[in-house]
Amino acid sequence: MMPMYFFASDQVVLLFDFWNIHSVAGMVLTVVIVLLMTVLYEMLKVETVKLDKKILDLMAAPPNPQDETAETLPINPNSQKTSYKRWIWVHVLQSVLHIIQVVLSYFLMLCAMSYNVWVFLSVVAGAGIGYFVAYPLIKTW
């Protein structure tokens, strides 16, 4: 039976039966893996924001007078199909990123709910490191 309170131990089963930790070295490796998963989660959040911003900028951009789709020239029906296809692919990419982000966030939540102090601290530290590293990338983009 897993305790429902925080405990400090080098023995824990994490997420799956095969992720069974029995030693200090295994716990250190687990802490590093969970920390990297959390940093990856923060980086994914930033990439999602950057992709959303790029899409909004493309949608809000005024038509280029040099472009075939400008009001002064006849409308090219193929350009509308191309634009729709591009939107579909971008939306598929957004959806895939969202699914990865949700799965990763649930894994991290379950890691924290193992109530192992070391695993919990690795989630917290990874979130802090990931935020510190990733969020300035939004402003520089």
Side-chain angles (χ1 to χ4, degrees), residues 113-125:
M113 288 180 62
S114 71
Y115 293 106
N116 184 289
V117 169
W118 311 119
V119 174
F120 181 78
L121 289 176
S122 70
V123 171
V124 172

Side-chain angles (χ1 to χ4, degrees), residues 77-94:
N78 291 332
S79 68
Q80 289 177 346
K81 285 183 182 178
T82 305
S83 176
Y84 182 73
K85 285 180 185 178
R86 186 178 303 141
W87 181 85
I88 289 292
W89 281 110
V90 168
H91 188 62
V92 166
L93 177 63
Q94 282 178 311

Side-chain angles (χ1 to χ4, degrees), residues 10 24 32 43 48 55 58 60 96 108 111 116 128-129 131 133:
D10 62 352
V24 173
V32 169
M43 298 291 270
T48 302
I55 290 167
L58 286 174
V96 168
L108 292 170
C111 286
N116 184 289
I129 292 167
Y131 183 87
V133 170

Side-chain angles (χ1 to χ4, degrees), residues 46-71:
V46 167
E47 288 303 315
T48 302
V49 168
K50 285 169 58 174
L51 184 61
D52 290 346
K53 183 181 181 320
K54 188 179 226 181
I55 290 167
L56 287 174
D57 288 347
L58 286 174
M59 290 175 66
N64 185 355
Q66 304 296 330
D67 194 7
E68 287 183 24
T69 59
E71 291 178 358

